[in-house]
Amino acid sequence: MRRTDRWPLCLTASPNPFAESPTISLAGGRVPTGPAQFDLFDADGRCVRSLRAQSLREPVSLAARDAGGAPLPAGVYLLRARTGGVEGVTKLIVR
């Protein structure tokens, strides 16, 4: 994803596409300190899952499940991470 002033965090997901649980991490750059908020949006823009992490200094695993614990249907999702006043977005594909 292209770095911009609005989205200064460059996120990566591996594996992507995935069926179980990708690992989310930052792709270089300065890592903000403090807790991080992750929000997963479906193709219609609905937030299907949110989670918090202590920081982005370590990779985060994201299970392919919605907020109620049901498996996510196959499709394209956007994952937004927010921490330290900055944000980043990456596309995730569930197969």
Side-chain angles (χ1 to χ4, degrees), residues 1-94:
M1 171 166 260
R2 192 178 95 225
R3 290 174 70 111
T4 67
D5 289 336
R6 183 164 181 213
W7 308 110
L9 295 177
C10 188
L11 302 171
T12 63
S14 179
N16 194 17
F18 68 97
E20 296 285 325
S21 179
T23 299
I24 312 300
S25 58
L26 286 180
R30 188 176 76 81
V31 179
T33 59
Q37 172 75 31
F38 293 90
D39 298 303
L40 185 65
F41 298 91
D42 66 12
D44 293 324
R46 291 183 298 252
C47 183
V48 295
R49 181 156 188 215
S50 294
L51 67 103
R52 292 182 58 83
Q54 293 299 320
S55 85
L56 287 176
R57 294 191 182 275
E58 298 294 326
V60 174
S61 182
L62 177 71
R65 300 196 171 272
D66 66 16
L72 292 173
V76 176
Y77 295 82
L78 290 178
L79 178 70
R80 177 181 64 194
R82 293 182 286 172
T83 185
V86 293
E87 297 182 343
V89 173
T90 194
K91 177 174 65 172
L92 300 176
I93 300 171
V94 175

